[in-house]
Amino acid sequence: MGARFQRTGFCATVAAVLVAVACGHQTSPAMDGPKAASPALASAVAAPAAETTGGFDGARAYKHVEQLVAIGPHPAGTDGIRRAQTYIIEQLKGFGCPVEEQDFHASTPIGDVAMKNILVKIPSANPNIILYASHYDTKRIDKFVGADDGGSSTGVLLELARVLCGRKNAQTIWLAFLDGEEAFNLQWVDPDNTYGSRELAASLALSGTLRHVKAMILVDMVGPANPVFKRETNSTPWLTEILWSTAARLGYGNVFVNEGSAVEDDHLSFLNRDVPAADIIDLEVPYWHTTNDTLDKVDPRTLAITGHVLIASLPELEKKIR
Ligand SMILES: [Zn+2]
């Protein structure tokens, strides 16, 4: 994956946009554990009201991140990821989402590893598919819980599922919780990465369904308190434009910035098969792939901004691929 850069002087800029952002904060009211007296209230303090972010509840998304972090490290093929799978599937079923499990085996540097993509397929009369995706595995590093890298985007996707499964949509919408994005080795060297997305894209190509997937939108590392989402330059320009222009319209122009950056991620598995795809990611965080990627790095407001942009961009996306 891409190089990391230090950001300076950014906090004040974002603080002007996101009122009451606690830059560099280590604790927040939302840090109360799941057994706190009033956890819903604690999270609601830190996230904007769902009515102001397209019905997407940043506090709910944050609670999912909290639960995934509480599971502990969950790299592909471990007991930890089986607990994460149980959590994700139970939540999705609780939202009334139709859930499918795609079990497969991957050949990795440590041998054959059983993996599982978790899919939600929300039907509609329109065969066109819009696919949202996140990886939920964590990097195979001792004591690494991946609150931002793996957790944040999975929390966003779970909350997105709650919203989208509970309403009628103009197009068929799929959500993919992908296994095995992270490299087993410390370094990111092909083909030791993106096992889940490559399996999903290959199986859809084989069944002939892939041609119906008109847009694949990936979220990854969408949790930091001072987010900078650069236009990912491998991504399909028109799809990136819809997302970034929606963000600008909503007042998030300082978060979804016009600067470009190339990132290798799960969206490449679809781009390589000519499916339009885009990646929303802030890879330039100092805690990336370190044990400092902990819950205090995740801000419910950033989850809410990401979810708001995904939901608010849907009408324009539907118009484009109709
Ligand atoms: Zn990672």
Side-chain angles (χ1 to χ4, degrees):
M1 296 176 85
R4 289 181 294 124
F5 305 95
Q6 282 298 112
R7 287 197 308 272
T8 53
F10 185 77
C11 211
T13 314
V14 168
V17 177
L18 305 173
V19 177
V21 163
C23 289
H25 71 110
Q26 294 301 308
T27 58
S28 83
M31 288 294 294
D32 291 350
K35 293 183 180 66
S38 55
L41 182 65
S43 289
V45 172
E51 307 84 74
T52 65
T53 49
F56 183 98
D57 190 338
R60 283 177 176 267
Y62 183 84
K63 296 303 285 184
H64 295 309
V65 183
E66 198 173 52
Q67 295 297 321
L68 290 162
V69 167
I71 285 169
H74 41 282
T78 62
D79 286 343
I81 203 159
R82 283 184 273 283
R83 290 194 293 274
Q85 288 158 357
T86 300
Y87 177 77
I88 292 166
I89 291 167
E90 279 178 358
Q91 291 298 310
L92 292 171
K93 288 185 173 168
F95 303 146
C97 295
V99 183
E100 292 182 19
E101 300 172 40
Q102 181 182 32
D103 292 295
F104 62 101
H105 286 255
S107 176
T108 81
I110 65 162
D112 178 280
V113 174
M115 297 191 189
K116 186 193 291 286
N117 292 329
I118 300 166
L119 307 173
V120 170
K121 298 180 178 177
I122 311 171
S124 80
N126 192 322
N128 288 342
I129 298 164
I130 297 169
L131 171 63
Y132 295 98
S134 155
H135 80 89
Y136 69 94
D137 62 306
T138 57
K139 177 81 174 161
R140 187 176 289 267
I141 296 171
D142 196 32
K143 297 189 173 67
F144 178 83
V145 295
D148 188 17
D149 191 358
S152 62
S153 54
T154 302
V156 164
L157 215 60
L158 280 168
E159 171 60 3
L160 193 64
R162 185 188 68 83
V163 173
L164 296 179
C165 289
R167 71 181 206 186
K168 273 218 172 323
N169 301 291
Q171 316 240 359
T172 301
I173 295 177
W174 288 9
L175 305 165
F177 298 81
L178 301 168
D179 201 344
E181 185 268 349
E182 299 286 6
F184 281 76
N185 289 330
L186 197 56
Q187 300 302 322
W188 177 277
V189 179
D190 293 344
D192 176 29
N193 53 55
T194 62
Y195 295 95
S197 57
R198 285 189 284 126
E199 178 71 20
L200 178 59
S203 66
L204 293 176
L206 201 59
S207 69
T209 313
L210 194 66
R211 66 191 169 87
H212 296 299
V213 179
K214 302 300 183 188
M216 186 270 195
I217 299 171
L218 179 67
V219 284
D220 192 4
M221 302 181 68
V222 290
N226 310 311
V228 180
F229 298 132
K230 296 181 178 175
R231 290 178 184 245
E232 198 289 307
T233 53
N234 295 308
S235 299
T236 307
W238 67 256
L239 187 51
T240 300
E241 176 57 26
I242 287 177
L243 295 166
W244 264 249
S245 64
T246 299
R249 177 168 56 79
L250 297 173
Y252 306 136
N254 284 346
V255 175
F256 287 72
V257 301
N258 286 326
E259 205 178 326
S261 173
V263 177
E264 294 182 17
D265 207 343
D266 279 320
H267 62 316
L268 297 187
S269 304
F270 287 79
L271 284 170
N272 288 341
R273 293 177 182 273
D274 297 324
V275 176
D279 190 9
I280 301 174
I281 183 169
D282 182 355
L283 187 59
E284 295 170 23
V285 289
Y287 52 80
W288 178 64
H289 285 183
T290 75
T291 52
N292 292 326
D293 184 354
T294 43
L295 189 60
D296 53 294
K297 307 304 186 302
V298 175
D299 191 319
R301 284 163 290 213
T302 310
L303 306 179
I305 288 169
T306 305
H308 193 190
V309 169
L310 294 179
I311 288 172
S313 59
L314 202 41
E316 199 185 332
L317 188 53
E318 288 164 348
K319 217 182 297 171
K320 169 81 181 176
I321 67 174
R322 188 187 291 155

mmCIF file of all heavy atoms in Angstrom, residues 1 135 139 149 181-182 221 288-289, ligand 1:
data_model
loop_
_atom_site.group_PDB
_atom_site.id
_atom_site.type_symbol
_atom_site.label_atom_id
_atom_site.label_comp_id
_atom_site.label_asym_id
_atom_site.label_seq_id
_atom_site.Cartn_x
_atom_site.Cartn_y
_atom_site.Cartn_z
ATOM 1 N N MET A 1 0.845 -1.199 0.000
ATOM 2 C CA MET A 1 0.000 0.000 0.000
ATOM 3 C C MET A 1 0.875 1.240 0.000
ATOM 4 O O MET A 1 2.088 1.154 0.047
ATOM 5 C CB MET A 1 -0.933 -0.019 1.221
ATOM 6 C CG MET A 1 -1.911 -1.182 1.151
ATOM 7 S SD MET A 1 -2.970 -1.345 2.577
ATOM 8 C CE MET A 1 -4.290 -0.232 2.158
ATOM 9 N N HIS A 135 -13.093 -4.263 3.802
ATOM 10 C CA HIS A 135 -12.496 -5.478 4.377
ATOM 11 C C HIS A 135 -12.694 -5.454 5.881
ATOM 12 O O HIS A 135 -12.735 -4.379 6.496
ATOM 13 C CB HIS A 135 -11.019 -5.613 3.990
ATOM 14 C CG HIS A 135 -10.053 -4.777 4.788
ATOM 15 N ND1 HIS A 135 -9.460 -5.220 5.956
ATOM 16 C CD2 HIS A 135 -9.545 -3.538 4.594
ATOM 17 C CE1 HIS A 135 -8.642 -4.299 6.419
ATOM 18 N NE2 HIS A 135 -8.676 -3.259 5.618
ATOM 19 N N LYS A 139 -4.754 -6.773 10.017
ATOM 20 C CA LYS A 139 -3.384 -7.115 9.640
ATOM 21 C C LYS A 139 -2.772 -8.075 10.673
ATOM 22 O O LYS A 139 -2.966 -7.898 11.880
ATOM 23 C CB LYS A 139 -2.559 -5.818 9.560
ATOM 24 C CG LYS A 139 -1.099 -6.005 9.251
ATOM 25 C CD LYS A 139 -0.858 -6.210 7.782
ATOM 26 C CE LYS A 139 0.638 -6.254 7.466
ATOM 27 N NZ LYS A 139 0.873 -6.891 6.144
ATOM 28 N N ASP A 149 -8.146 0.579 10.546
ATOM 29 C CA ASP A 149 -7.854 -0.264 9.384
ATOM 30 C C ASP A 149 -8.582 -1.604 9.506
ATOM 31 O O ASP A 149 -8.056 -2.573 10.043
ATOM 32 C CB ASP A 149 -6.338 -0.488 9.291
ATOM 33 C CG ASP A 149 -5.927 -1.128 7.974
ATOM 34 O OD1 ASP A 149 -6.801 -1.429 7.147
ATOM 35 O OD2 ASP A 149 -4.716 -1.330 7.790
ATOM 36 N N GLU A 181 -8.056 -9.016 3.020
ATOM 37 C CA GLU A 181 -7.473 -7.897 2.260
ATOM 38 C C GLU A 181 -5.998 -7.736 2.595
ATOM 39 O O GLU A 181 -5.162 -7.440 1.737
ATOM 40 C CB GLU A 181 -8.218 -6.589 2.577
ATOM 41 C CG GLU A 181 -7.766 -5.386 1.746
ATOM 42 C CD GLU A 181 -6.664 -4.542 2.388
ATOM 43 O OE1 GLU A 181 -6.370 -4.752 3.591
ATOM 44 O OE2 GLU A 181 -6.088 -3.697 1.706
ATOM 45 N N GLU A 182 -5.688 -7.909 3.867
ATOM 46 C CA GLU A 182 -4.321 -7.656 4.327
ATOM 47 C C GLU A 182 -3.353 -8.738 3.854
ATOM 48 O O GLU A 182 -3.708 -9.916 3.780
ATOM 49 C CB GLU A 182 -4.285 -7.594 5.866
ATOM 50 C CG GLU A 182 -5.141 -6.482 6.464
ATOM 51 C CD GLU A 182 -4.536 -5.090 6.275
ATOM 52 O OE1 GLU A 182 -3.507 -4.957 5.581
ATOM 53 O OE2 GLU A 182 -5.104 -4.138 6.833
ATOM 54 N N MET A 221 -10.307 2.535 6.097
ATOM 55 C CA MET A 221 -9.651 3.559 6.938
ATOM 56 C C MET A 221 -10.379 4.899 6.843
ATOM 57 O O MET A 221 -9.845 5.901 6.366
ATOM 58 C CB MET A 221 -8.163 3.679 6.558
ATOM 59 C CG MET A 221 -7.429 2.356 6.709
ATOM 60 S SD MET A 221 -5.675 2.437 6.314
ATOM 61 C CE MET A 221 -5.074 3.448 7.671
ATOM 62 N N TRP A 288 -0.787 3.822 11.090
ATOM 63 C CA TRP A 288 -1.104 2.786 10.099
ATOM 64 C C TRP A 288 -0.225 1.542 10.291
ATOM 65 O O TRP A 288 0.997 1.649 10.382
ATOM 66 C CB TRP A 288 -0.920 3.335 8.684
ATOM 67 C CG TRP A 288 -1.176 2.344 7.590
ATOM 68 C CD1 TRP A 288 -2.357 1.732 7.286
ATOM 69 C CD2 TRP A 288 -0.222 1.863 6.628
ATOM 70 N NE1 TRP A 288 -2.200 0.899 6.208
ATOM 71 C CE2 TRP A 288 -0.905 0.953 5.783
ATOM 72 C CE3 TRP A 288 1.130 2.106 6.404
ATOM 73 C CZ2 TRP A 288 -0.271 0.291 4.732
ATOM 74 C CZ3 TRP A 288 1.762 1.445 5.360
ATOM 75 C CH2 TRP A 288 1.062 0.547 4.536
ATOM 76 N N HIS A 289 -0.882 0.376 10.398
ATOM 77 C CA HIS A 289 -0.195 -0.915 10.578
ATOM 78 C C HIS A 289 0.737 -0.927 11.789
ATOM 79 O O HIS A 289 1.807 -1.546 11.755
ATOM 80 C CB HIS A 289 0.552 -1.330 9.292
ATOM 81 C CG HIS A 289 -0.381 -1.834 8.221
ATOM 82 N ND1 HIS A 289 0.040 -2.322 7.017
ATOM 83 C CD2 HIS A 289 -1.732 -1.922 8.195
ATOM 84 C CE1 HIS A 289 -0.997 -2.690 6.284
ATOM 85 N NE2 HIS A 289 -2.090 -2.441 6.984
HETATM 86 ZN ZN ZN B 1 -4.126 -2.454 6.390
#
